[in-house]
Amino acid sequence: MDDATQATRIALVDDADAGELLTLRRAAFVTEAQVFGDPNIPPLTQTLAELREDLKRDDVVTIGAWEGHRLVGSIRVELEDNKATLGRLAVAPDMQGRGIGTSLLFAILPHLPEQVTEVWAFTGKDSKENLTMYAKHGFEEHHDDSAGALTYTYLRRVLHEVEARNAG
């Protein structure tokens, strides 16, 4: 089966995939680090041991996208009361622009507890492609926040409000 016809498989990431997940995130976030001129952004400094601890957490869901045996995308969701916070949305550089990030955004929905009504995402303020993708899928810019020299834009999607608007 060639790349064009191979189906993308979406599934939970577990400890057995930790090394590949770390490699994917590092490859995907190098571009982001270059945009901000900071090689020390958290996705690039997280250790394998820290990643494995994160995967064990009950309040975190990590979902991956595979093409054959290769992990080509992932998203991390942290759950807290009625809120889910997306982070570390990563797509392998050679696979970007094929809808994998969008597929992962929608793949989180079945993993959200019923009480979750808001999904938050954040990305670098200058990450125009990321901001455009989130806006296209119902996320609205909410506020900016600085962490050291970096400024992040926080976006919010209210699940029931957006779904009601789209149904009407």
Side-chain angles (χ1 to χ4, degrees):
M1 202 180 277
D2 67 25
D3 288 343
T5 59
Q6 191 166 5
T8 301
R9 178 176 60 90
I10 305 285
L12 293 174
V13 175
D14 61 25
D15 189 74
D17 304 308
E20 194 172 2
L21 177 59
L22 188 67
T23 301
L24 167 69
R25 285 182 178 169
R26 287 186 175 165
F29 281 95
V30 163
T31 304
E32 192 87 352
Q34 290 170 337
V35 167
F36 296 107
D38 184 354
N40 297 309
I41 61 174
L44 296 181
T45 59
Q46 184 178 40
T47 67
L48 182 58
E50 290 167 341
L51 175 60
R52 285 197 152 119
E53 286 303 311
D54 193 59
L55 289 171
K56 290 179 190 173
R57 290 176 49 184
D58 291 334
D59 62 336
V60 171
V61 176
T62 303
I63 300 170
W66 282 265
E67 297 270 336
H69 295 289
R70 180 182 175 210
L71 182 64
V72 295
S74 71
I75 191 168
R76 178 188 184 276
V77 184
E78 188 167 357
L79 304 168
E80 181 184 355
D81 300 322
N82 71 329
K83 177 179 164 184
T85 303
L86 308 181
R88 311 244 167 127
L89 175 57
V91 177
D94 65 315
M95 300 297 286
Q96 292 175 4
R98 298 183 186 192
I100 294 168
T102 297
S103 294
L104 288 165
L105 276 180
F106 287 103
I108 68 160
L109 296 174
H111 297 280
L112 300 179
E114 203 170 288
Q115 73 268 19
V116 171
T117 58
E118 297 182 357
V119 179
W120 287 78
F122 62 93
T123 189
K125 183 173 179 58
D126 296 326
S127 299
K128 301 301 180 206
E129 293 92 4
N130 294 349
L131 292 168
T132 299
M133 180 196 62
Y134 285 122
K136 180 179 172 185
H137 297 296
F139 286 82
E140 297 177 353
E141 291 188 29
H142 191 270
H143 67 277
D144 291 341
D145 193 19
S146 294
L150 299 177
T151 300
Y152 294 99
T153 296
Y154 286 78
L155 306 101
R156 179 177 74 153
R157 176 178 172 191
V158 178
L159 291 180
H160 303 296
E161 181 181 300
V162 170
E163 289 163 1
R165 246 188 298 172
N166 289 341

